[in-house]
Amino acid sequence: MGMLDGKKGVIFGVANERSIAWAIARALRHEGMELAFTYAGEALESRVRPLAGSVDAKIILPCDVTGVAQIKNVFDALKAEWGGIDALVHSLAFAKKEELKGEFLNTTREGFALALDVSAYSLVALTRAALPLMEGREAAIVTLSYYGAQKVIANYNVMGVAKAALETSVKYLAADLGPKGIRINTISAGPVKTLAAMGITGFKGILDMVETKSPLRRNVTQEDVAKTALYLLSGLSSGVTGETIYVDAGYNIMGI
Ligand code: NAD
Ligand code: IMJ
């Protein structure tokens, strides 16, 4: 008997077995939730299909979140197959590589717009599309942020601004969704070695710093993040909405 038996959830943001979204999917499946997956482009389909199959998912659809038609297609399919959904996981972000090095001052207009579109606006678009499928179901939404939304972190640049927009979007969305009994929260995760962290200048130094300075004296794993996602997407967090919850071994609380 799982805590989420009979519940349905859609996962945006699995690229491979290291993805935070994948750990969240496994945690939800472990509690009995039926899952659907989306992938961001042709190239990722062959990665996502076997993973989805291994958790008995039958609905696997393309969805680049910059495409209005692809978003509509996903929720039309979920409506037809399931009638409704109880959970949505938004675990995606993108900025051009060039924007994630050097000075924030040099951020281009196009780079700013793209990062904010994919990494922040997409949450608004997905939430609006999901809403008709969530009404009357005490559904919940979770997204992923990073400390660079709150403090300056070298090279995070326009992604920090995008995550600030994401965290505040969660508050405004929570206010809109609350009267319908739907909750939305953010997890601000500590650094984790995933595709999104590959090739980032100084990443190893940041992992070392967290290990040395955080209260728990370690880095977090995808599973640490997934357990909080499970809490936020289940009835265990029935009174919690609009929050940013840090899963960072306590790093963010430290001063000198
Ligand atoms: P990941 O690379 O596995 O996941 C990022 C996902 O974004 C990929 O699945 C990719 O396909 C998807 N994506 C990119 N552009 C997209 C688009 N246009 N449409 C749809 N999907 C798109 O890396 P991850 O670390 O699991 O990242 C997941 C989330 O966690 C991101 O929001 C990231 O900012 C956040 N996060 C990561 C860390 C970290 O250190 N890895 C820390 C805190 C927060
Ligand atoms: C990303 C850039 C700079 C510093 C960073 C990160 N630190 C951490 C990340 C310290 C932890 C990872 N992170 C939290 C992200 O949100 C990553 C987003 C991201 C990563 C890439 C790399 C490949 C690419 N575009 C990207 N867009 C967003 O081309």
Side-chain angles (χ1 to χ4, degrees), residues 33-245:
M33 187 176 275
E34 197 173 333
L35 300 174
F37 290 84
T38 67
Y39 54 89
E42 298 277 285
L44 285 173
E45 183 174 4
S46 62
R47 300 291 248 158
V48 174
R49 278 201 180 271
L51 293 174
S54 75
V55 290
D56 316 305
K58 310 232 155 34
I59 308 172
I60 304 148
L61 298 163
C63 189
D64 181 321
V65 294
T66 58
V68 177
Q70 288 194 24
I71 292 177
K72 182 174 185 308
N73 182 51
V74 168
F75 291 96
D76 284 351
L78 294 174
K79 171 100 187 149
E81 291 288 324
W82 286 345
I85 56 173
D86 306 285
L88 187 153
V89 175
H90 175 281
S91 182
L92 56 93
F94 186 78
K96 283 225 165 118
K97 256 204 181 72
E98 308 85 80
E99 308 287 1
L100 300 175
K101 56 183 169 212
E103 295 189 336
F104 173 69
L105 184 63
N106 294 324
T107 304
T108 65
R109 188 181 296 266
E110 294 70 31
F112 190 100
L114 178 64
L116 273 282
D117 186 19
V118 175
S119 313
Y121 182 75
S122 64
L123 181 71
V124 183
L126 294 182
T127 298
R128 192 168 54 243
L131 197 52
L133 284 83
M134 289 184 153
E135 277 182 269
R137 298 176 71 121
E138 294 182 2
I141 299 172
V142 159
T143 185
L144 271 296
S145 191
Y146 180 57
Y147 191 47
Q150 301 296 332
K151 301 285 176 186
V152 174
I153 294 183
N155 301 314
Y156 202 56
N157 296 354
V158 71
M159 272 309 308
V161 177
K163 292 300 194 189
L166 182 78
E167 290 184 10
T168 304
S169 297
V170 166
K171 295 184 189 180
Y172 279 87
L173 289 169
D176 289 345
L177 303 183
K180 301 177 194 301
I182 302 166
R183 299 178 300 104
I184 179 164
N185 292 283
T186 319
I187 296 172
S188 184
V192 183
K193 246 197 226 172
T194 64
L195 203 58
M198 288 292 173
I200 302 300
T201 312
F203 190 74
K204 174 73 168 59
I206 286 168
L207 287 176
D208 289 347
M209 191 136 58
V210 173
E211 201 175 312
T212 314
K213 308 281 184 217
S214 67
L216 293 179
R217 299 287 193 276
R218 67 172 179 91
N219 278 286
V220 297
T221 63
Q222 287 89 332
E223 285 68 34
D224 289 317
V225 178
K227 283 187 273 183
T228 291
L230 177 60
Y231 155 75
L232 288 173
L233 293 170
S234 73
L236 289 176
S237 61
S238 52
V240 180
T241 195
E243 293 291 343
T244 298
I245 299 191

